[in-house]
Amino acid sequence: MMEKTGAGRRAEIAGAGIGGLTTAAALAQRGWSVTVHERAPTLRTFGAGIYIWSNGLRVLQAIGAYGQATVGAHVGPQFHTRDHNNTTMEEIPINGIGDARLITILRETLINSLVDTCRRSGVEILTNSEAVGATAEGELVLADGSRRKADLVVGADGINSRVRDSLDLMMYRKHLGYGAIRMLIARDDGDVPVEDRERYIEYFTGSRRILYTPASATDLYVALCCAADDAAALKVPADRALWTQSFPHLANLVTRFGDAGRWDAFEVVKLKRWSAGRVAILGDAAHAMPPYLGQGGGCALMNGLGLAAAVDGTTEVTEALAAWEARERPMTEHTQDTAERLGDMNLWPDDIRSQVLKITGKSREIGMERMKTARHAPTATDALA
Ligand SMILES: Cc1cc2nc3c(=O)[nH]c(=O)nc-3n(C[C@H](O)[C@H](O)[C@H](O)COP(=O)(O)OP(=O)(O)OC[C@H]3O[C@@H](n4cnc5c(N)ncnc54)[C@H](O)[C@@H]3O)c2cc1C
């Protein structure tokens, strides 16, 4: 049982995404009285899967969300990168003895598990409640004109964060010129050969990429990545003829694409500081990254729990937030920078990409560098097995 050192203290959090909900649960479990403000009318998320590595799984375990979050999850045996000829350029073993753990689940399952964990921990969640800014003295300002005073205010309101922007914290926001359409469809035995069915596979052709991800026994999560100026490829519903032309070996899968799907551009956000006075910024609001390591949500989970641990037992919130940033930011920036470098592969000609990946795929050092975040034991998870 955790000691309730935060009794009598109040936190106001903008955003009920992965970052806001994790922070809320972890603070409430330490005795804080917490309210989360979500702009949307419901707590539902869109239809897609998400990769959660060992580091994120440890955070889910620490806040008591792991059991519910992983119900029905898919546990793949390897992650493959394939070239335009469907030849494997790189194979990352996962989930075996000594390997990093990686599961894939539906985003809805993850959010529901975090919402339920928050509610069990006594968090108040208000929907239709939009934050428009905050003050360094510890006020969250809402769209209805009300101001909520707190010991700690958290801006976890996503990449277009109004809380962050009201405090002039942006260092830069970079558009990477790439993005993805994400969708969920039913799994079908004819999509890939039997030996590939349980694997996670990214297929490259030119600057287009298809990510094949079983996300439950019945759901397949598909991401179609392309350049932001590849107007034909980024259309939703996805143009099946065009994607079949690029990936003839995945014709069965492509013809089954539905009309649903959501396009998101890949961006990097870096801040001058992660806090101002009593206000902390986290998740995509503070450190958005392209999804080449599947770690944007992982970093939101880690930094949410790390934040609650940092302010635990101290009344000096401003100093605690500076210490939190000093502890967590290096790993987050390593993750952002590595993910951005991996994204550069999109620009390479097929043959060069194949050659380079075949060589780097054999390098233990490069592999360890890529897996550094996944293998990291996040703050406040040391007591876990
Ligand atoms: C194509 C793609 C694939 C990805 N795949 C992975 C993956 O496999 N694994 C992984 O770990 N990460 C992945 N990510 C990254 C991950 O989705 C994000 O890093 C994560 O969702 C960030 O969580 P968040 O809580 O910071 O922000 P969000 O998820 O954006 O949540 C912000 C919340 O705040 C609400 N909000 C917004 N503005 C306001 C306001 N003014 N007031 C109140 N509420 C507000 C929003 O409605 C939302 O509910 C991927 C990203 C992309 C684009």
Side-chain angles (χ1 to χ4, degrees), residues 17 32 40 89 118 124 133 146 177 179 182 186 204 206 217 250 262 273 282 298 300 306 309 312 336 347 359:
W32 287 63
M89 298 183 279
C118 279
E124 176 186 41
S146 61
R182 285 174 282 180
F204 275 98
L250 295 176
R262 168 174 143 160
R273 294 184 316 282
L282 61 74
D312 196 18
Q336 286 182 293
L347 302 170
I359 295 163

Side-chain angles (χ1 to χ4, degrees), residues 95-313:
N95 296 317
I97 296 165
D99 299 334
R101 292 179 64 210
L102 171 62
I103 66 156
T104 44
I105 50 177
L106 304 183
R107 278 186 179 254
E108 197 182 348
T109 305
L110 177 61
I111 291 295
N112 288 346
S113 75
L114 292 172
V115 167
D116 289 348
T117 303
C118 279
R119 293 210 163 115
R120 276 198 308 277
S121 310
V123 174
E124 176 186 41
I125 305 179
L126 303 177
T127 51
N128 283 316
S129 186
E130 183 182 1
V132 294
T135 65
E137 291 71 35
E139 271 184 332
L140 182 67
V141 185
L142 299 174
D144 65 6
S146 61
R147 303 172 85 88
R148 314 267 297 215
K149 185 97 184 111
D151 300 285
L152 171 68
V153 171
V154 180
D157 47 344
I159 195 152
N160 297 313
S161 171
R162 297 195 63 180
V163 175
R164 170 196 69 209
D165 291 342
S166 72
L167 294 163
D168 187 27
L169 288 172
M170 184 73 88
M171 182 158 73
Y172 67 79
R173 178 171 180 173
K174 185 157 56 163
H175 293 264
L176 298 177
Y178 276 85
I181 300 169
R182 285 174 282 180
M183 65 177 90
L184 279 180
I185 60 174
R187 289 178 70 175
D188 184 285
D189 284 351
D191 285 342
V192 290
V194 63
E195 65 274 17
D196 283 343
R197 269 181 216 152
E198 306 304 317
R199 291 176 169 144
Y200 305 120
I201 309 177
E202 59 174 352
Y203 299 89
F204 275 98
T205 292
S207 59
R208 294 180 185 151
R209 201 165 57 108
I210 293 184
L211 182 63
Y212 167 92
T213 309
S216 77
T218 51
D219 295 287
L220 184 70
Y221 159 45
V222 183
L224 307 175
C225 308
C226 66
D229 61 2
D230 190 348
L234 58 76
K235 270 201 315 232
V236 179
D239 181 334
R240 298 177 187 87
L242 177 110
W243 283 94
T244 307
Q245 214 175 18
S246 291
F247 297 90
H249 44 291
L250 295 176
N252 186 73
L253 170 65
V254 174
T255 51
R256 297 192 314 103
F257 289 171
D259 287 346
R262 168 174 143 160
W263 163 265
D264 285 280
F266 299 164
E267 296 182 59
V268 174
V269 165
K270 288 199 182 171
L271 304 190
K272 295 179 226 171
R273 294 184 316 282
W274 282 7
S275 67
R278 292 182 172 276
V279 186
I281 311 294
L282 61 74
D284 280 4
H287 44 72
M289 65 187 77
Y292 296 104
L293 286 173
Q295 281 285 6
C299 287
L301 284 159
M302 291 198 293
N303 294 335
L305 177 59
L307 173 59
V311 296
D312 196 18

Side-chain angles (χ1 to χ4, degrees), residues 300-354:
L301 284 159
M302 291 198 293
N303 294 335
L305 177 59
L307 173 59
V311 296
D312 196 18
T314 174
T315 50
E316 304 299 328
V317 169
T318 303
E319 286 76 4
L321 295 185
W324 163 68
E325 177 176 350
R327 186 163 59 201
E328 310 298 344
R329 189 163 176 156
M331 179 56 72
T332 300
E333 293 212 333
H334 163 83
T335 314
Q336 286 182 293
D337 297 346
T338 308
E340 192 179 338
R341 272 199 306 277
L342 282 172
D344 292 345
M345 278 192 310
N346 288 307
L347 302 170
W348 301 347
D350 282 322
D351 290 343
I352 293 181
R353 183 168 47 228
S354 296

